[in-house]
Amino acid sequence: MRAAAVPLLLLVLAGCGAVHVEPPAPQGEAAAACDRLAPRLPRTLDGVERTASTPESPYVAVWGEAEIALRCGVPRPSRMAPTDRLDEINGVGWFADPDKPALYTAIQAPLYVEVTIAGTRTAGAVLADLSGPIAQVSAQPR
């Protein structure tokens, strides 16, 4: 039940205007990589347009009525063990949180990018579309 709470909460807040998403506070290389990622993010993901979030942050992006939410520069997932398998999509490793099936985290030095995807969207397509820009900023010199 807890896994469904995040997308549901975002959808409820979406009806009130801009979607509330708590922005992360990346530091150092992660913040610089997030700054490079922000302008590369697509305007459309899985058929939905990018929308506003509150508070405004360069580290947050939302598409649709909060059907997809991205937070760049989050901490390493606490649930992820060194032996956990990552799903590689277009050169980016993604950790699918087993306790929160709507939550995926890109593991790409120097940053972690968290993506929440509602069940009404196609997770594989969303992660594939986001992997290109994430791989580009990770590959750039730091």
Side-chain angles (χ1 to χ4, degrees):
M1 183 71 174
R2 187 168 181 227
V6 173
L8 181 60
L9 174 63
L10 291 175
L11 287 173
V12 168
L13 292 173
C16 302
V19 180
H20 179 81
V21 177
E22 192 62 36
Q27 302 293 316
E29 290 182 55
C34 288
D35 289 340
R36 292 189 308 268
L37 177 62
R40 289 179 167 85
L41 293 173
R43 294 181 145 243
T44 304
L45 270 178
D46 198 31
V48 291
E49 293 288 322
R50 191 160 168 187
T51 58
S53 64
T54 185
E56 287 187 29
S57 171
Y59 308 123
V60 172
V62 176
W63 290 264
E65 293 183 15
E67 295 148 291
I68 303 164
L70 177 146
R71 297 182 342 122
C72 186
V74 297
R76 181 181 185 277
S78 59
R79 174 68 172 82
M80 189 175 77
T83 56
D84 280 340
R85 184 179 135 258
L86 300 178
D87 294 319
E88 186 176 323
I89 301 173
N90 297 335
V92 173
W94 288 93
F95 173 70
D97 191 317
D99 295 332
K100 301 173 187 167
L103 182 65
Y104 303 86
T105 305
I107 312 299
Q108 198 75 6
L111 74 156
Y112 296 95
V113 179
E114 180 183 276
V115 179
T116 304
I117 305 170
T120 57
R121 298 282 135 213
T122 307
V126 170
L127 299 180
D129 286 347
L130 291 173
S131 290
I134 291 170
Q136 288 175 350
V137 300
S138 313
Q140 289 186 355
R142 300 185 225 341

